[in-house]
Amino acid sequence: MQLVVARIGRAHGIKGEVTVEVRTDEPESRLAPGAVLATDPASAGPLTIATGRVHSGRLLLRFEGVADRNGAEALRNTLLIADVDPEEMPEDEDEYYDHQLIDLDVVTEDGTEVGRITEISHLPSQDLFIVERPDGSEVLIPFVEEIVSEIDLDEQKAVITPPPGLIDDRAEIASARDEAADASARDEDEGA
């Protein structure tokens, strides 16, 4: 099985280093020197990592055969793909690979069907499940502990506790204006 582990960003310096947007929870093993990675587009690779270091909180990589800024810049936006055994599990029991989550049924704690996970979107602040509902519409579910209460790979389901408005139109909207309007209506009722 192939997993996207990073996306190459801009060139850094003049010696062929690039910044990378890490898309794996195991960068120390997947993006280590000596690792050979497939690429998307395939014409850019395969790439072998020559060196890696962290600079100002960003991972910088240099690849064998890429010795200058022009070569590094030519790799910008290339996806780095690692071959992973489909039976391999992440080290932490609360972590999952995307392929384990795709096609899981999403249900609320009371068993109400929400839909099926069709994609995982990896954002800087959190991951999102993109869930296709039975009517064909999509809903975005933040993959956070407060909302996703259980992942059951044996039962092929994700159990969620959605806040009001996440999967339905019954959002509770409270504001000072609403409270003022309610108070004004009460005053009018009492005065009449």
Side-chain angles (χ1 to χ4, degrees), residues 1-8 21 23-24 30-31 35-49 61 63 77-84:
M1 160 146 293
Q2 294 192 315
L3 296 177
V4 174
V5 294
R7 183 183 64 82
I8 297 175
E21 174 190 314
R23 294 189 181 176
T24 177
R30 305 261 187 247
L31 300 172
V36 179
L37 302 167
T39 60
D40 181 8
S43 60
L47 295 172
T48 302
I49 298 174
L61 297 179
F63 301 101
N77 293 321
T78 298
L79 296 177
L80 299 175
I81 302 167
D83 282 318
V84 177

PDB file of all heavy atoms in Angstrom, residues 1-8 21 23-24 30-31 35-49 61 63 77-84:
ATOM      1  N   MET A   1       0.840  -1.168   0.000  1.00  0.00           N
ATOM      2  CA  MET A   1       0.000   0.000   0.000  1.00  0.00           C
ATOM      3  C   MET A   1       0.889   1.236   0.000  1.00  0.00           C
ATOM      4  O   MET A   1       1.927   1.261   0.647  1.00  0.00           O
ATOM      5  CB  MET A   1      -0.883  -0.031   1.247  1.00  0.00           C
ATOM      6  CG  MET A   1      -1.435   1.307   1.612  1.00  0.00           C
ATOM      7  SD  MET A   1      -3.068   1.251   2.331  1.00  0.00           S
ATOM      8  CE  MET A   1      -4.043   0.713   0.978  1.00  0.00           C
ATOM      9  N   GLN A   2       0.473   2.257  -0.712  1.00  0.00           N
ATOM     10  CA  GLN A   2       1.247   3.484  -0.781  1.00  0.00           C
ATOM     11  C   GLN A   2       0.540   4.589  -0.008  1.00  0.00           C
ATOM     12  O   GLN A   2      -0.672   4.762  -0.140  1.00  0.00           O
ATOM     13  CB  GLN A   2       1.459   3.907  -2.226  1.00  0.00           C
ATOM     14  CG  GLN A   2       2.332   2.928  -2.988  1.00  0.00           C
ATOM     15  CD  GLN A   2       2.763   3.496  -4.313  1.00  0.00           C
ATOM     16  OE1 GLN A   2       1.962   4.060  -5.032  1.00  0.00           O
ATOM     17  NE2 GLN A   2       4.027   3.328  -4.627  1.00  0.00           N
ATOM     18  N   LEU A   3       1.322   5.324   0.794  1.00  0.00           N
ATOM     19  CA  LEU A   3       0.794   6.427   1.585  1.00  0.00           C
ATOM     20  C   LEU A   3       1.566   7.699   1.285  1.00  0.00           C
ATOM     21  O   LEU A   3       2.796   7.671   1.201  1.00  0.00           O
ATOM     22  CB  LEU A   3       0.930   6.134   3.083  1.00  0.00           C
ATOM     23  CG  LEU A   3       0.155   4.967   3.652  1.00  0.00           C
ATOM     24  CD1 LEU A   3       0.474   4.800   5.131  1.00  0.00           C
ATOM     25  CD2 LEU A   3      -1.334   5.177   3.466  1.00  0.00           C
ATOM     26  N   VAL A   4       0.862   8.808   1.155  1.00  0.00           N
ATOM     27  CA  VAL A   4       1.518  10.107   0.993  1.00  0.00           C
ATOM     28  C   VAL A   4       2.070  10.492   2.361  1.00  0.00           C
ATOM     29  O   VAL A   4       1.342  10.542   3.348  1.00  0.00           O
ATOM     30  CB  VAL A   4       0.544  11.180   0.484  1.00  0.00           C
ATOM     31  CG1 VAL A   4       1.206  12.545   0.471  1.00  0.00           C
ATOM     32  CG2 VAL A   4       0.040  10.814  -0.905  1.00  0.00           C
ATOM     33  N   VAL A   5       3.385  10.739   2.435  1.00  0.00           N
ATOM     34  CA  VAL A   5       4.022  11.064   3.711  1.00  0.00           C
ATOM     35  C   VAL A   5       4.468  12.521   3.795  1.00  0.00           C
ATOM     36  O   VAL A   5       4.751  13.014   4.881  1.00  0.00           O
ATOM     37  CB  VAL A   5       5.203  10.116   4.020  1.00  0.00           C
ATOM     38  CG1 VAL A   5       4.699   8.701   4.239  1.00  0.00           C
ATOM     39  CG2 VAL A   5       6.251  10.148   2.921  1.00  0.00           C
ATOM     40  N   ALA A   6       4.531  13.218   2.654  1.00  0.00           N
ATOM     41  CA  ALA A   6       4.939  14.629   2.672  1.00  0.00           C
ATOM     42  C   ALA A   6       4.681  15.265   1.315  1.00  0.00           C
ATOM     43  O   ALA A   6       4.501  14.571   0.312  1.00  0.00           O
ATOM     44  CB  ALA A   6       6.420  14.756   3.026  1.00  0.00           C
ATOM     45  N   ARG A   7       4.662  16.592   1.331  1.00  0.00           N
ATOM     46  CA  ARG A   7       4.601  17.370   0.096  1.00  0.00           C
ATOM     47  C   ARG A   7       5.784  18.317   0.119  1.00  0.00           C
ATOM     48  O   ARG A   7       6.034  18.996   1.109  1.00  0.00           O
ATOM     49  CB  ARG A   7       3.302  18.180   0.004  1.00  0.00           C
ATOM     50  CG  ARG A   7       3.175  18.953  -1.319  1.00  0.00           C
ATOM     51  CD  ARG A   7       1.920  19.803  -1.370  1.00  0.00           C
ATOM     52  NE  ARG A   7       1.901  20.859  -0.377  1.00  0.00           N
ATOM     53  CZ  ARG A   7       2.518  22.035  -0.504  1.00  0.00           C
ATOM     54  NH1 ARG A   7       3.228  22.313  -1.572  1.00  0.00           N
ATOM     55  NH2 ARG A   7       2.431  22.940   0.449  1.00  0.00           N
ATOM     56  N   ILE A   8       6.522  18.368  -0.974  1.00  0.00           N
ATOM     57  CA  ILE A   8       7.701  19.229  -1.058  1.00  0.00           C
ATOM     58  C   ILE A   8       7.257  20.675  -1.237  1.00  0.00           C
ATOM     59  O   ILE A   8       6.405  20.985  -2.070  1.00  0.00           O
ATOM     60  CB  ILE A   8       8.622  18.797  -2.216  1.00  0.00           C
ATOM     61  CG1 ILE A   8       9.138  17.376  -1.963  1.00  0.00           C
ATOM     62  CG2 ILE A   8       9.777  19.779  -2.388  1.00  0.00           C
ATOM     63  CD1 ILE A   8       9.962  16.796  -3.098  1.00  0.00           C
ATOM     64  N   GLU A  21       6.100  19.674   3.827  1.00  0.00           N
ATOM     65  CA  GLU A  21       4.887  19.638   4.638  1.00  0.00           C
ATOM     66  C   GLU A  21       4.693  18.172   5.003  1.00  0.00           C
ATOM     67  O   GLU A  21       4.373  17.333   4.155  1.00  0.00           O
ATOM     68  CB  GLU A  21       3.714  20.155   3.801  1.00  0.00           C
ATOM     69  CG  GLU A  21       2.375  20.031   4.469  1.00  0.00           C
ATOM     70  CD  GLU A  21       1.264  20.341   3.486  1.00  0.00           C
ATOM     71  OE1 GLU A  21       1.357  21.343   2.760  1.00  0.00           O
ATOM     72  OE2 GLU A  21       0.300  19.552   3.446  1.00  0.00           O
ATOM     73  N   ARG A  23       3.171  14.809   6.267  1.00  0.00           N
ATOM     74  CA  ARG A  23       1.820  14.233   6.297  1.00  0.00           C
ATOM     75  C   ARG A  23       1.834  12.839   6.899  1.00  0.00           C
ATOM     76  O   ARG A  23       1.055  11.983   6.515  1.00  0.00           O
ATOM     77  CB  ARG A  23       1.232  14.196   4.894  1.00  0.00           C
ATOM     78  CG  ARG A  23       0.996  15.572   4.320  1.00  0.00           C
ATOM     79  CD  ARG A  23       0.218  15.498   3.053  1.00  0.00           C
ATOM     80  NE  ARG A  23       0.004  16.813   2.480  1.00  0.00           N
ATOM     81  CZ  ARG A  23      -0.581  17.018   1.320  1.00  0.00           C
ATOM     82  NH1 ARG A  23      -1.019  16.002   0.612  1.00  0.00           N
ATOM     83  NH2 ARG A  23      -0.741  18.238   0.867  1.00  0.00           N
ATOM     84  N   THR A  24       2.752  12.618   7.814  1.00  0.00           N
ATOM     85  CA  THR A  24       2.831  11.339   8.511  1.00  0.00           C
ATOM     86  C   THR A  24       3.103  11.604   9.976  1.00  0.00           C
ATOM     87  O   THR A  24       3.726  12.606  10.322  1.00  0.00           O
ATOM     88  CB  THR A  24       3.937  10.435   7.924  1.00  0.00           C
ATOM     89  OG1 THR A  24       4.017   9.231   8.700  1.00  0.00           O
ATOM     90  CG2 THR A  24       5.291  11.110   7.931  1.00  0.00           C
ATOM     91  N   ARG A  30       9.787   7.432   8.250  1.00  0.00           N
ATOM     92  CA  ARG A  30       9.380   7.537   6.840  1.00  0.00           C
ATOM     93  C   ARG A  30      10.237   8.520   6.045  1.00  0.00           C
ATOM     94  O   ARG A  30      10.379   8.377   4.839  1.00  0.00           O
ATOM     95  CB  ARG A  30       7.927   7.988   6.744  1.00  0.00           C
ATOM     96  CG  ARG A  30       6.975   7.119   7.507  1.00  0.00           C
ATOM     97  CD  ARG A  30       6.292   6.140   6.602  1.00  0.00           C
ATOM     98  NE  ARG A  30       5.267   5.438   7.353  1.00  0.00           N
ATOM     99  CZ  ARG A  30       5.329   4.147   7.627  1.00  0.00           C
ATOM    100  NH1 ARG A  30       6.327   3.424   7.199  1.00  0.00           N
ATOM    101  NH2 ARG A  30       4.362   3.570   8.302  1.00  0.00           N
ATOM    102  N   LEU A  31      10.781   9.558   6.731  1.00  0.00           N
ATOM    103  CA  LEU A  31      11.542  10.597   6.036  1.00  0.00           C
ATOM    104  C   LEU A  31      12.989  10.639   6.514  1.00  0.00           C
ATOM    105  O   LEU A  31      13.607  11.689   6.584  1.00  0.00           O
ATOM    106  CB  LEU A  31      10.860  11.959   6.242  1.00  0.00           C
ATOM    107  CG  LEU A  31       9.422  12.058   5.715  1.00  0.00           C
ATOM    108  CD1 LEU A  31       8.770  13.358   6.137  1.00  0.00           C
ATOM    109  CD2 LEU A  31       9.384  11.890   4.210  1.00  0.00           C
ATOM    110  N   ALA A  35      15.910   6.731   2.942  1.00  0.00           N
ATOM    111  CA  ALA A  35      14.574   6.311   2.516  1.00  0.00           C
ATOM    112  C   ALA A  35      14.390   6.623   1.028  1.00  0.00           C
ATOM    113  O   ALA A  35      14.762   7.688   0.556  1.00  0.00           O
ATOM    114  CB  ALA A  35      13.504   7.018   3.338  1.00  0.00           C
ATOM    115  N   VAL A  36      13.843   5.665   0.300  1.00  0.00           N
ATOM    116  CA  VAL A  36      13.549   5.836  -1.119  1.00  0.00           C
ATOM    117  C   VAL A  36      12.039   5.981  -1.250  1.00  0.00           C
ATOM    118  O   VAL A  36      11.286   5.112  -0.819  1.00  0.00           O
ATOM    119  CB  VAL A  36      14.047   4.640  -1.948  1.00  0.00           C
ATOM    120  CG1 VAL A  36      13.708   4.823  -3.419  1.00  0.00           C
ATOM    121  CG2 VAL A  36      15.543   4.442  -1.758  1.00  0.00           C
ATOM    122  N   LEU A  37      11.622   7.104  -1.833  1.00  0.00           N
ATOM    123  CA  LEU A  37      10.194   7.421  -1.904  1.00  0.00           C
ATOM    124  C   LEU A  37       9.750   7.585  -3.350  1.00  0.00           C
ATOM    125  O   LEU A  37      10.442   8.189  -4.162  1.00  0.00           O
ATOM    126  CB  LEU A  37       9.915   8.711  -1.134  1.00  0.00           C
ATOM    127  CG  LEU A  37      10.309   8.701   0.345  1.00  0.00           C
ATOM    128  CD1 LEU A  37      10.277  10.095   0.926  1.00  0.00           C
ATOM    129  CD2 LEU A  37       9.391   7.774   1.117  1.00  0.00           C
ATOM    130  N   ALA A  38       8.579   7.048  -3.635  1.00  0.00           N
ATOM    131  CA  ALA A  38       7.946   7.288  -4.927  1.00  0.00           C
ATOM    132  C   ALA A  38       7.416   8.725  -4.919  1.00  0.00           C
ATOM    133  O   ALA A  38       7.344   9.354  -3.858  1.00  0.00           O
ATOM    134  CB  ALA A  38       6.815   6.296  -5.145  1.00  0.00           C
ATOM    135  N   THR A  39       7.050   9.226  -6.078  1.00  0.00           N
ATOM    136  CA  THR A  39       6.582  10.608  -6.168  1.00  0.00           C
ATOM    137  C   THR A  39       5.315  10.713  -7.012  1.00  0.00           C
ATOM    138  O   THR A  39       5.012   9.837  -7.817  1.00  0.00           O
ATOM    139  CB  THR A  39       7.655  11.518  -6.797  1.00  0.00           C
ATOM    140  OG1 THR A  39       7.937  11.038  -8.120  1.00  0.00           O
ATOM    141  CG2 THR A  39       8.914  11.563  -5.969  1.00  0.00           C
ATOM    142  N   ASP A  40       4.610  11.785  -6.797  1.00  0.00           N
ATOM    143  CA  ASP A  40       3.489  12.153  -7.646  1.00  0.00           C
ATOM    144  C   ASP A  40       3.695  13.622  -7.982  1.00  0.00           C
ATOM    145  O   ASP A  40       3.606  14.457  -7.081  1.00  0.00           O
ATOM    146  CB  ASP A  40       2.167  11.948  -6.921  1.00  0.00           C
ATOM    147  CG  ASP A  40       0.962  12.308  -7.793  1.00  0.00           C
ATOM    148  OD1 ASP A  40       1.146  12.563  -9.003  1.00  0.00           O
ATOM    149  OD2 ASP A  40      -0.160  12.344  -7.248  1.00  0.00           O
ATOM    150  N   PRO A  41       4.077  13.946  -9.203  1.00  0.00           N
ATOM    151  CA  PRO A  41       4.090  13.109 -10.393  1.00  0.00           C
ATOM    152  C   PRO A  41       5.260  12.110 -10.383  1.00  0.00           C
ATOM    153  O   PRO A  41       6.327  12.395  -9.848  1.00  0.00           O
ATOM    154  CB  PRO A  41       4.242  14.114 -11.534  1.00  0.00           C
ATOM    155  CG  PRO A  41       4.943  15.286 -10.930  1.00  0.00           C
ATOM    156  CD  PRO A  41       4.473  15.344  -9.501  1.00  0.00           C
ATOM    157  N   ALA A  42       5.007  10.965 -10.979  1.00  0.00           N
ATOM    158  CA  ALA A  42       5.995   9.884 -10.994  1.00  0.00           C
ATOM    159  C   ALA A  42       7.279  10.286 -11.703  1.00  0.00           C
ATOM    160  O   ALA A  42       8.359   9.772 -11.387  1.00  0.00           O
ATOM    161  CB  ALA A  42       5.395   8.647 -11.655  1.00  0.00           C
ATOM    162  N   SER A  43       7.203  11.221 -12.646  1.00  0.00           N
ATOM    163  CA  SER A  43       8.385  11.640 -13.417  1.00  0.00           C
ATOM    164  C   SER A  43       9.435  12.309 -12.539  1.00  0.00           C
ATOM    165  O   SER A  43      10.597  12.405 -12.920  1.00  0.00           O
ATOM    166  CB  SER A  43       7.975  12.586 -14.546  1.00  0.00           C
ATOM    167  OG  SER A  43       7.339  13.736 -14.009  1.00  0.00           O
ATOM    168  N   ALA A  44       9.077  12.770 -11.345  1.00  0.00           N
ATOM    169  CA  ALA A  44      10.023  13.446 -10.453  1.00  0.00           C
ATOM    170  C   ALA A  44      10.853  12.463  -9.626  1.00  0.00           C
ATOM    171  O   ALA A  44      11.826  12.854  -8.997  1.00  0.00           O
ATOM    172  CB  ALA A  44       9.279  14.383  -9.504  1.00  0.00           C
ATOM    173  N   GLY A  45      10.503  11.220  -9.628  1.00  0.00           N
ATOM    174  CA  GLY A  45      11.193  10.290  -8.730  1.00  0.00           C
ATOM    175  C   GLY A  45      11.508   8.980  -9.396  1.00  0.00           C
ATOM    176  O   GLY A  45      11.452   8.870 -10.604  1.00  0.00           O
ATOM    177  N   PRO A  46      11.876   7.998  -8.594  1.00  0.00           N
ATOM    178  CA  PRO A  46      11.874   8.009  -7.136  1.00  0.00           C
ATOM    179  C   PRO A  46      13.001   8.892  -6.577  1.00  0.00           C
ATOM    180  O   PRO A  46      13.991   9.140  -7.252  1.00  0.00           O
ATOM    181  CB  PRO A  46      12.080   6.552  -6.749  1.00  0.00           C
ATOM    182  CG  PRO A  46      12.802   5.954  -7.907  1.00  0.00           C
ATOM    183  CD  PRO A  46      12.327   6.708  -9.129  1.00  0.00           C
ATOM    184  N   LEU A  47      12.796   9.350  -5.332  1.00  0.00           N
ATOM    185  CA  LEU A  47      13.782  10.204  -4.672  1.00  0.00           C
ATOM    186  C   LEU A  47      14.333   9.499  -3.438  1.00  0.00           C
ATOM    187  O   LEU A  47      13.577   8.903  -2.671  1.00  0.00           O
ATOM    188  CB  LEU A  47      13.144  11.531  -4.255  1.00  0.00           C
ATOM    189  CG  LEU A  47      12.673  12.441  -5.386  1.00  0.00           C
ATOM    190  CD1 LEU A  47      11.881  13.623  -4.831  1.00  0.00           C
ATOM    191  CD2 LEU A  47      13.857  12.925  -6.201  1.00  0.00           C
ATOM    192  N   THR A  48      15.639   9.596  -3.270  1.00  0.00           N
ATOM    193  CA  THR A  48      16.301   9.043  -2.088  1.00  0.00           C
ATOM    194  C   THR A  48      16.722  10.197  -1.199  1.00  0.00           C
ATOM    195  O   THR A  48      17.396  11.126  -1.645  1.00  0.00           O
ATOM    196  CB  THR A  48      17.537   8.212  -2.483  1.00  0.00           C
ATOM    197  OG1 THR A  48      17.121   7.171  -3.372  1.00  0.00           O
ATOM    198  CG2 THR A  48      18.217   7.609  -1.263  1.00  0.00           C
ATOM    199  N   ILE A  49      16.329  10.146   0.067  1.00  0.00           N
ATOM    200  CA  ILE A  49      16.667  11.216   1.005  1.00  0.00           C
ATOM    201  C   ILE A  49      18.138  11.112   1.385  1.00  0.00           C
ATOM    202  O   ILE A  49      18.596  10.070   1.856  1.00  0.00           O
ATOM    203  CB  ILE A  49      15.771  11.158   2.259  1.00  0.00           C
ATOM    204  CG1 ILE A  49      14.315  11.366   1.850  1.00  0.00           C
ATOM    205  CG2 ILE A  49      16.209  12.194   3.293  1.00  0.00           C
ATOM    206  CD1 ILE A  49      13.309  11.194   2.966  1.00  0.00           C
ATOM    207  N   LEU A  61      14.739  18.720   3.813  1.00  0.00           N
ATOM    208  CA  LEU A  61      15.320  17.509   3.237  1.00  0.00           C
ATOM    209  C   LEU A  61      16.172  17.880   2.040  1.00  0.00           C
ATOM    210  O   LEU A  61      15.928  18.871   1.352  1.00  0.00           O
ATOM    211  CB  LEU A  61      14.227  16.544   2.769  1.00  0.00           C
ATOM    212  CG  LEU A  61      13.280  15.964   3.806  1.00  0.00           C
ATOM    213  CD1 LEU A  61      12.253  15.056   3.134  1.00  0.00           C
ATOM    214  CD2 LEU A  61      14.039  15.209   4.883  1.00  0.00           C
ATOM    215  N   PHE A  63      17.797  15.675  -1.330  1.00  0.00           N
ATOM    216  CA  PHE A  63      17.717  14.396  -2.025  1.00  0.00           C
ATOM    217  C   PHE A  63      18.990  14.125  -2.815  1.00  0.00           C
ATOM    218  O   PHE A  63      19.629  15.060  -3.304  1.00  0.00           O
ATOM    219  CB  PHE A  63      16.511  14.380  -2.979  1.00  0.00           C
ATOM    220  CG  PHE A  63      15.213  14.597  -2.269  1.00  0.00           C
ATOM    221  CD1 PHE A  63      14.600  15.835  -2.289  1.00  0.00           C
ATOM    222  CD2 PHE A  63      14.602  13.571  -1.568  1.00  0.00           C
ATOM    223  CE1 PHE A  63      13.408  16.056  -1.636  1.00  0.00           C
ATOM    224  CE2 PHE A  63      13.412  13.774  -0.904  1.00  0.00           C
ATOM    225  CZ  PHE A  63      12.810  15.020  -0.932  1.00  0.00           C
ATOM    226  N   ASN A  77       5.935  21.165  -4.786  1.00  0.00           N
ATOM    227  CA  ASN A  77       4.583  20.587  -4.829  1.00  0.00           C
ATOM    228  C   ASN A  77       4.536  19.102  -5.179  1.00  0.00           C
ATOM    229  O   ASN A  77       3.453  18.549  -5.363  1.00  0.00           O
ATOM    230  CB  ASN A  77       3.646  21.376  -5.750  1.00  0.00           C
ATOM    231  CG  ASN A  77       3.377  22.750  -5.206  1.00  0.00           C
ATOM    232  OD1 ASN A  77       3.227  22.928  -4.003  1.00  0.00           O
ATOM    233  ND2 ASN A  77       3.320  23.736  -6.089  1.00  0.00           N
ATOM    234  N   THR A  78       5.690  18.447  -5.254  1.00  0.00           N
ATOM    235  CA  THR A  78       5.728  17.009  -5.496  1.00  0.00           C
ATOM    236  C   THR A  78       5.326  16.285  -4.211  1.00  0.00           C
ATOM    237  O   THR A  78       5.778  16.630  -3.123  1.00  0.00           O
ATOM    238  CB  THR A  78       7.145  16.564  -5.925  1.00  0.00           C
ATOM    239  OG1 THR A  78       7.473  17.227  -7.151  1.00  0.00           O
ATOM    240  CG2 THR A  78       7.231  15.067  -6.113  1.00  0.00           C
ATOM    241  N   LEU A  79       4.484  15.271  -4.345  1.00  0.00           N
ATOM    242  CA  LEU A  79       4.096  14.455  -3.196  1.00  0.00           C
ATOM    243  C   LEU A  79       5.097  13.320  -3.035  1.00  0.00           C
ATOM    244  O   LEU A  79       5.526  12.711  -4.015  1.00  0.00           O
ATOM    245  CB  LEU A  79       2.695  13.868  -3.395  1.00  0.00           C
ATOM    246  CG  LEU A  79       1.551  14.871  -3.486  1.00  0.00           C
ATOM    247  CD1 LEU A  79       0.233  14.158  -3.754  1.00  0.00           C
ATOM    248  CD2 LEU A  79       1.456  15.705  -2.217  1.00  0.00           C
ATOM    249  N   LEU A  80       5.472  13.048  -1.786  1.00  0.00           N
ATOM    250  CA  LEU A  80       6.379  11.942  -1.474  1.00  0.00           C
ATOM    251  C   LEU A  80       5.544  10.776  -0.951  1.00  0.00           C
ATOM    252  O   LEU A  80       4.728  10.947  -0.032  1.00  0.00           O
ATOM    253  CB  LEU A  80       7.413  12.372  -0.434  1.00  0.00           C
ATOM    254  CG  LEU A  80       8.326  13.523  -0.867  1.00  0.00           C
ATOM    255  CD1 LEU A  80       9.227  13.947   0.285  1.00  0.00           C
ATOM    256  CD2 LEU A  80       9.157  13.114  -2.076  1.00  0.00           C
ATOM    257  N   ILE A  81       5.762   9.591  -1.527  1.00  0.00           N
ATOM    258  CA  ILE A  81       4.908   8.437  -1.249  1.00  0.00           C
ATOM    259  C   ILE A  81       5.765   7.277  -0.756  1.00  0.00           C
ATOM    260  O   ILE A  81       6.742   6.891  -1.404  1.00  0.00           O
ATOM    261  CB  ILE A  81       4.145   8.029  -2.523  1.00  0.00           C
ATOM    262  CG1 ILE A  81       3.322   9.222  -3.021  1.00  0.00           C
ATOM    263  CG2 ILE A  81       3.282   6.813  -2.267  1.00  0.00           C
ATOM    264  CD1 ILE A  81       2.777   9.061  -4.413  1.00  0.00           C
ATOM    265  N   ALA A  82       5.376   6.705   0.390  1.00  0.00           N
ATOM    266  CA  ALA A  82       6.097   5.562   0.965  1.00  0.00           C
ATOM    267  C   ALA A  82       5.283   4.290   0.763  1.00  0.00           C
ATOM    268  O   ALA A  82       4.048   4.311   0.825  1.00  0.00           O
ATOM    269  CB  ALA A  82       6.349   5.788   2.453  1.00  0.00           C
ATOM    270  N   ASP A  83       5.981   3.186   0.537  1.00  0.00           N
ATOM    271  CA  ASP A  83       5.328   1.881   0.503  1.00  0.00           C
ATOM    272  C   ASP A  83       5.182   1.386   1.929  1.00  0.00           C
ATOM    273  O   ASP A  83       6.157   1.349   2.687  1.00  0.00           O
ATOM    274  CB  ASP A  83       6.159   0.876  -0.310  1.00  0.00           C
ATOM    275  CG  ASP A  83       5.996   1.082  -1.798  1.00  0.00           C
ATOM    276  OD1 ASP A  83       4.854   1.306  -2.240  1.00  0.00           O
ATOM    277  OD2 ASP A  83       7.016   1.020  -2.515  1.00  0.00           O
ATOM    278  N   VAL A  84       3.964   1.017   2.304  1.00  0.00           N
ATOM    279  CA  VAL A  84       3.677   0.576   3.663  1.00  0.00           C
ATOM    280  C   VAL A  84       2.931  -0.742   3.592  1.00  0.00           C
ATOM    281  O   VAL A  84       2.025  -0.915   2.777  1.00  0.00           O
ATOM    282  CB  VAL A  84       2.809   1.633   4.398  1.00  0.00           C
ATOM    283  CG1 VAL A  84       2.442   1.172   5.791  1.00  0.00           C
ATOM    284  CG2 VAL A  84       3.533   2.961   4.455  1.00  0.00           C
TER     285      VAL A  84
END
